[in-house]
Amino acid sequence: MDGRQGTHMDWDHLRTFEAVARLGSVTAAAKALGVSQSTASRHLARLEESAGSPLFVRSAPLGLTERGASVLAAMRPMLDAALAAEAALEDTPELRGEVTITSTSELVRWELVPRLARFHVAYPNLRLRLLADNRVASLAAGDADVAIRMVRPSRGELIARRWRTITHGYFAARGLELHDAVPWLGLAGSLAEIPEQRHAARAFAGRPPRLLVEDVEALGLAVAAGLGVAILARELAPRLGDLVEVAPRDIGVEDPASIPARDIWIVVHRSRQRLPRVRAVTRWLAGQTR
């Protein structure tokens, strides 16, 4: 024997490496894996020692070296096999555990919560955690298992399925006097750039809004209170009061261009999509189209 030891690749080190490559930082990888930052750093150092060369370019975010990219490509089948094994172990007649769903506060309150009783009849041993947030939670970082998003993701290893399509109209409180200078209400903050708000800004160009809020439900309630007109989803408007859809010409909108419809997407990370408890939740969601 020549006295050399074979290279030993610890699975925990490889999992840490994959998470750092995916998330771009040791801190984020440690959080996603549920380990300390020092543990994640140690895993990475030992793997690079085994590889005999750096696997990352120390930048922000961390980038892969050529050797690192080769290692990631080589370990991908191993990762997929491990996830398949985890799914097989979990695939029991009575699914257990927790699944986290993130969505906007309006969709959580108006669409998900009223249907939870039926979910728990079908899956009595599964526990749901609902995160109501207008921000985009990171599926890759493990903040959630499933996201219901208003925009289809275009980057990352995310799998998206169209859930439903919502349409919009101009709404006012019944009895509000309509005229060419009627006040309009809109959205601010994280919702300022959504298609409906951009359409409203164009439609009411030259007329500053009376009120901007960072919550679609609050916008609808302001309309119901008679403060002005606003673009609202046709499914949401009837739940918020005695609202009526009004014609653009009656509120001084000269360009009657159609308000863009919006697709809503069920999104999962590819690393989670095959887990039985996650599949069960996405199947249930897919059936909740009305």
Side-chain angles (χ1 to χ4, degrees), residues 93-140:
E94 295 185 356
L95 292 174
R96 298 179 181 275
E98 179 178 273
V99 176
T100 299
I101 303 173
T102 180
S103 186
T104 65
S105 56
E106 291 79 24
L107 288 175
V108 168
R109 288 196 296 271
W110 294 104
E111 300 294 342
L112 296 184
V113 170
R115 293 170 166 82
L116 291 184
R118 291 200 295 268
F119 175 85
H120 288 296
V121 168
Y123 303 103
N125 298 309
L126 274 182
R127 181 174 64 254
L128 293 182
R129 189 165 68 107
L130 303 181
L131 303 181
D133 200 328
N134 288 331
R135 297 173 299 173
V136 177
S138 173
L139 295 176

Side-chain angles (χ1 to χ4, degrees), residues 23-250:
L23 301 174
S25 82
V26 175
T27 301
K31 178 182 176 183
L33 295 173
V35 300
S36 67
Q37 185 171 345
S38 60
T39 297
S41 297
R42 186 170 62 253
H43 288 175
L44 192 58
R46 289 181 178 175
L47 186 62
E48 289 188 320
E49 181 181 352
S50 296
S53 65
L55 300 177
F56 290 97
V57 177
R58 265 53 182 184
S59 58
L62 292 175
L64 288 167
T65 63
E66 185 175 345
R67 183 72 183 279
S70 297
V71 171
L72 182 63
M75 70 169 290
R76 188 64 72 188
M78 297 170 57
L79 181 65
D80 290 342
L83 291 170
E86 183 180 353
L89 290 171
E90 194 181 81
D91 199 3
T92 61
E94 295 185 356
L95 292 174
R96 298 179 181 275
E98 179 178 273
V99 176
T100 299
I101 303 173
T102 180
S103 186
T104 65
S105 56
E106 291 79 24
L107 288 175
V108 168
R109 288 196 296 271
W110 294 104
E111 300 294 342
L112 296 184
V113 170
R115 293 170 166 82
L116 291 184
R118 291 200 295 268
F119 175 85
H120 288 296
V121 168
Y123 303 103
N125 298 309
L126 274 182
R127 181 174 64 254
L128 293 182
R129 189 165 68 107
L130 303 181
L131 303 181
D133 200 328
N134 288 331
R135 297 173 299 173
V136 177
S138 173
L139 295 176
D143 294 341
D145 299 298
V146 180
I148 301 176
R149 292 184 175 170
M150 306 292 277
V151 177
R152 185 175 190 174
S154 58
R155 296 185 299 173
E157 299 185 55
L158 302 177
I159 308 300
R161 173 179 183 176
R162 184 183 287 106
W163 187 36
R164 64 176 65 179
T165 300
I166 56 176
T167 60
H168 302 82
Y170 296 95
F171 285 87
R174 190 181 300 276
L176 180 70
E177 183 181 354
L178 303 179
H179 50 80
D180 288 352
V182 65
W184 70 279
L185 320 176
L187 295 164
S190 62
L191 299 179
E193 295 302 316
I194 65 173
E196 306 93 87
Q197 176 61 21
R198 293 201 304 267
H199 185 93
R202 292 192 299 269
F204 295 105
R207 230 192 302 178
R210 168 176 276 183
L211 175 70
L212 295 174
V213 296
E214 194 181 9
D215 183 275
V216 174
E217 187 175 357
L219 177 64
L221 292 172
V223 173
L227 296 181
V229 300
I231 293 176
L232 296 171
R234 290 190 171 99
E235 288 188 18
L236 174 63
R239 305 175 190 234
L240 298 175
D242 192 10
L243 303 184
V244 293
E245 187 169 355
V246 299
R249 63 178 178 275
D250 293 336

